[in-house]
Amino acid sequence: MDIVYWIVISVLFIVAFVGLVYPIIPSVLFLLAGFLLYGVFFSFESFHWLFWVIQGLFIVLLFVADYIANMIGIKKYGGSKAGIGGSTIGIILGPFVIPVLGILIGPFIGAIAAELIFNKRNFSDSLKIGFGSVIGFISSVLTKAIIQVIMIAYFFIVVL
């Protein structure tokens, strides 16, 4: 039965990584579910208060990294709050409108549209900002992937 438990926990961790490119999937919740199911299936004894504090700090870091990477990508190319908002909407809607590539095209189009509509920028400036949003999104995904790997590695260090 232990193998089945580990498979369930592993699937939760894998879904957390899928959530990096499909933001509609709450990665953090799947990571926490994996940790909690380990406690239910095996034992919470390994999880002392320090484990939860460290994981909580990593969770905060995940949210901060996501916001900051996107903001830096857009701001570096001259974007505004409207560009950040448009990019965020594009990240959420993109995968549904254009499967697979929508995760990159969505924030690109969202940032461009927001800058054109709300800030009345010219098309070439808006295009640069759209490119910045894609760079920010990719940076965010890579940063969050590293943080999630560290969280899972720390989990295994504690439980094994």
Side-chain angles (χ1 to χ4, degrees), residues 1-23:
M1 202 60 177
D2 286 356
I3 292 172
V4 172
Y5 295 156
W6 278 111
I7 289 171
V8 170
I9 292 167
S10 298
V11 166
L12 289 170
F13 290 162
I14 290 167
V15 171
F17 282 97
V18 171
L20 292 173
V21 292
Y22 281 100

Side-chain angles (χ1 to χ4, degrees), residues 37-78:
L37 278 182
Y38 175 86
V40 170
F41 293 155
F42 298 102
S43 169
F44 282 101
E45 196 173 302
S46 304
F47 301 143
H48 44 78
W49 65 271
L50 185 61
F51 172 82
W52 294 111
V53 168
I54 290 172
Q55 294 294 20
L57 291 172
F58 278 128
I59 289 169
V60 170
L61 188 59
L62 280 171
F63 287 113
V64 170
D66 191 25
Y67 178 75
I68 289 176
N70 194 24
M71 184 180 68
I72 289 172
I74 290 175
K75 292 281 187 182
K76 183 176 180 175
Y77 288 89

